[in-house]
């Protein structure tokens, strides 16, 4: 039986530590303690960024659906493979063959040891922070990993830095997993996107723009005011935090031009849907640039041609 795994012990840690914007740090002993904490306290979302695919007939998929009692259990079948993330694998472990469990144990030694209640010195890491990175006018996107078996359920993990308003559009694509930096925890100075010019509203599309600068002097006046307000709100934010205001409240005054960062693990069928919708001429320019970057990095297969 062929078993494929996307991710590592470190991947779980990275997707947890992005909340603190410390996803580039490696401290193996602390990493293991964090995985143990996540597992014991059921902070499960970071485990969703590890993907497991194994050869199996459709009946294997159906049997898992019948056997696992959890109403939120998710497992998929495509191209002769059963697909599930580590979170769901843990819930289905008693029904997994020893061959599959051994493959997971070898790829995720620290995590599997924690699941079994056994300590191990072994710890698996990612080969690099990102495989490929592309800049856009408002941020950047990096491909972290991919598992391609030629099916609609091939999986990809990206790390993204973009303005808040782009992230909130992005998160509407719900067939995937997200872990995002949280200003409840971080204390560094935020960065902000500032467009080169302010685009005009489209006349025939109420939610879209046209890539044409508004008239001067208003373009320059408004951009100057935006920069002033951002600087003023940033100062107010710092003053509030310094005077003891909880960061989870102080962050409420920061504008949507502020950058955020998150990990996104997504199957091909959802990725293609993102590309289709967000490269459309009616999509907002900033997120359209990200969709075009994704298409350049991993291509488009048209797997989203199913009916709604």
């Amino acid at each position: 039986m062929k078993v494929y795994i996307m991710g590592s012990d470190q991947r779980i840690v990275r997707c947890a530590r992005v909340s603190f914007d410390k996803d580039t740090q490696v401290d193996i002993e602390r990493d293991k303690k964090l995985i143990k904490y996540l597992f014991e306290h059921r902070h499960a979302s970071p485990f969703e960024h590890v993907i497991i695919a194994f050869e199996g007939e459709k009946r294997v998929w159906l049997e898992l659906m019948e056997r696992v009692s959890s109403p939120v259990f998710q497992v998929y079948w495509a191209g002769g493979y059963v697909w599930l993330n580590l979170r769901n694998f843990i819930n289905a472990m008693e029904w997994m063959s020893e061959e599959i469990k051994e493959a997971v144990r070898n790829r995720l030694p620290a995590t599997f040891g924690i699941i079994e209640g056994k300590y191990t010195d072994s710890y698996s890491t990612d080969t690099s922070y990102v495989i490929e990175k592309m800049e856009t006018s408002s941020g950047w996107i990096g491909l972290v990993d991919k598992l391609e078996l030629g099916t609609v359920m091939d999986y990809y993990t990206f790390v993204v830095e973009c303005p808040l308003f782009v992230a909130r559009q992005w998160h509407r694509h719900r067939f995937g997993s997200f872990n995002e930096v949280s200003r409840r925890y971080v204390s560094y100075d935020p960065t902000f996107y500032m467009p080169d010019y302010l685009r005009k509203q489209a006349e025939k599309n109420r939610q879209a723009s046209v890539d044409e600068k508004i008239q001067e002097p208003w373009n320059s006046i408004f951009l100057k005011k935006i920069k002033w307000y951002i600087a003023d709100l940033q100062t107010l934010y710092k003053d509030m935090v310094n005077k003891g205001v909880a960061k989870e409240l102080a962050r409420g005054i920061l504008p949507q031009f502020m950058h955020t960062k998150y990990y996104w693990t997504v199957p091909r069928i959802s990725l293609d849907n993102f590309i289709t919708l967000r490269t459309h001429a009616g999509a907002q320019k900033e997120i359209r640039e990200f969709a075009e970057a994704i298409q350049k990095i991993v291509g488009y297969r048209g797997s989203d041609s199913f009916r709604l």
Side-chain angles (χ1 to χ4, degrees), residues 189-190 233-243 253:
D189 292 344
L233 287 171
Q234 197 168 3
T235 299
L236 176 58
Y237 170 78
K238 292 179 186 176
D239 290 344
M240 291 168 69
V241 171
N242 289 337
K243 296 299 182 182
I253 66 166

Side-chain angles (χ1 to χ4, degrees), residues 182-184 237 246-255 258:
S182 174
R183 294 212 67 84
R184 291 186 69 197
Y237 170 78
K247 291 192 289 291
E248 64 185 27
L249 285 175
R251 63 180 174 171
I253 66 166
L254 295 172
M258 182 179 70

Side-chain angles (χ1 to χ4, degrees), residues 6 154-158 175-177 264-268 270-271:
M6 182 186 82
D154 289 2
Y155 262 88
Y156 306 82
T157 294
F158 299 90
F175 191 4
S177 297
W264 183 42
T265 295
V266 57
R268 168 56 73 170
S270 183
L271 186 67

